[in-house]
mmCIF file of all heavy atoms in Angstrom:
data_model
loop_
_atom_site.group_PDB
_atom_site.id
_atom_site.type_symbol
_atom_site.label_atom_id
_atom_site.label_comp_id
_atom_site.label_asym_id
_atom_site.label_seq_id
_atom_site.Cartn_x
_atom_site.Cartn_y
_atom_site.Cartn_z
ATOM 1 N N GLU A 242 -61.349 -75.614 135.788
ATOM 2 C CA GLU A 242 -61.740 -76.358 137.022
ATOM 3 C C GLU A 242 -60.463 -77.142 137.515
ATOM 4 O O GLU A 242 -59.737 -77.533 136.753
ATOM 5 C CB GLU A 242 -62.787 -77.383 136.637
ATOM 6 C CG GLU A 242 -64.141 -76.682 136.222
ATOM 7 C CD GLU A 242 -64.721 -75.836 137.407
ATOM 8 O OE1 GLU A 242 -64.618 -76.310 138.556
ATOM 9 O OE2 GLU A 242 -65.269 -74.806 137.039
ATOM 10 N N CYS A 253 -48.892 -83.361 131.125
ATOM 11 C CA CYS A 253 -47.757 -82.621 130.660
ATOM 12 C C CYS A 253 -46.475 -83.166 131.370
ATOM 13 O O CYS A 253 -45.445 -83.413 130.540
ATOM 14 C CB CYS A 253 -47.928 -81.118 130.985
ATOM 15 S SG CYS A 253 -49.209 -80.250 130.024
ATOM 16 N N ALA A 286 -51.862 -57.050 133.173
ATOM 17 C CA ALA A 286 -51.033 -56.350 132.320
ATOM 18 C C ALA A 286 -51.898 -55.451 131.392
ATOM 19 O O ALA A 286 -51.504 -54.238 131.164
ATOM 20 C CB ALA A 286 -50.271 -57.200 131.451
#
Side-chain angles (χ1 to χ4, degrees):
E242 294 296 322
C253 290

